[in-house]
Amino acid sequence: SAVISQKPSRDICQRGTSLTIQCQVDSQVTMMFWYRQQPGQSLTLIATANQGSEATYESGFVIDKFPISRPNLTFSTLTVSNMSPEDSSIYLCSVDSTGGQSYNEQFFGPGTRLTVL
Amino acid sequence: AQKITQTQPGMFVQEKEAVTLDCTYDTSDPSYGLFWYKQPSSGEMIFLIYQGSYDQQNATEGRYSLNFQKARKSANLVISASQLGDSAMYFCAMSSDYKLSFGAGTTVTVRA
């Protein structure tokens, strides 16, 4: 299974600022995904980050608010822009380590716990 | 559109007993995957078990087994011989087009 790390593990930010979250994988993967988990809620997919092309956003999420970079096959960043207290969540990246060949390999990073004051 | 339903918001189980967590799903895709994840209070998502829609046998991984009933569109997780460390939130998820849709989750509390 892929080993995934995220930075920072947690942060407390002021409203109106932006935070960039990094996701690093120990092997090359085709697909990386970013999820949000609001307090007491389930996980919701924000976007799919593909190397060499723009991220694909899910309904309700826009690039201006959550810009994503995917410079290579082992790394991605998610920026939470112009933050408000409603953005307080756990943000998780996940990877499909099979290159889209199978459904059975979806692993998550440890998450970034964000609090916006 | 896909929908995952977990109807049990919370469950208590005695240590060493088995517990079944319910999950039903709805999809029109002929090929899909079903996952269970464990999320302890630390927030990480721990992969437990996977079942493919075309798999003939129910998946098992150690103390975890998935009771897959395709006609009923259910994928219940069974945890045998519960341990105190099993106390956590458990999420059922379904993959389609390589993206995961999650249920609301079930909180499991194991009592000594």
Side-chain angles (χ1 to χ4, degrees), chain B residues 27-43:
Chain B
T27 182
S28 57
D29 293 336
S31 182
Y32 51 88
L34 295 158
F35 298 75
W36 278 92
Y37 289 88
K38 172 184 177 181
Q39 187 178 44
S41 57
S42 59

Side-chain angles (χ1 to χ4, degrees), chain B residues 61-73:
Chain B
E61 290 284 352
R63 294 187 298 111
Y64 305 107
S65 60
L66 199 152
N67 183 4
F68 181 48
Q69 298 187 47
K70 193 171 183 177
R72 294 185 176 183
K73 294 188 174 180

Side-chain angles (χ1 to χ4, degrees), chain A:
Chain A
S1 63
V3 177
I4 308 165
S5 60
Q6 283 186 236
K7 290 182 181 179
S9 59
R10 59 176 64 230
D11 207 341
I12 301 173
C13 301
Q14 297 296 320
R15 71 170 66 214
T17 63
S18 298
L19 176 71
T20 295
I21 302 168
Q22 300 178 5
C23 180
Q24 179 77 53
V25 191
D26 69 341
S27 58
Q28 293 185 341
V29 294
T30 303
M31 293 180 174
M32 297 179 76
F33 306 90
W34 287 98
Y35 289 83
R36 180 178 72 180
Q37 185 179 25
Q38 295 177 299
Q41 303 296 313
S42 186
L43 280 75
T44 301
L45 180 64
I46 298 172
T48 303
N50 298 308
Q51 196 267 339
S53 63
E54 286 194 2
T56 304
Y57 289 83
E58 298 300 307
S59 176
F61 298 96
V62 295
I63 188 171
D64 290 346
K65 176 66 176 177
F66 298 101
I68 287 171
S69 77
R70 180 82 195 274
N72 56 54
L73 292 174
T74 64
F75 187 78
S76 178
T77 67
L78 169 75
T79 299
V80 186
S81 304
N82 188 24
M83 288 184 286
S84 67
E86 292 71 35
D87 294 320
S88 297
S89 299
I90 299 175
Y91 292 87
L92 301 107
C93 71
S94 75
V95 303
D96 169 15
S97 62
T98 67
Q101 298 304 307
S102 171
Y103 288 112
N104 67 344
E105 297 275 347
Q106 292 245 8
F107 297 99
F108 282 81
T112 296
R113 194 180 295 265
L114 171 63
T115 301
V116 184
L117 302 177

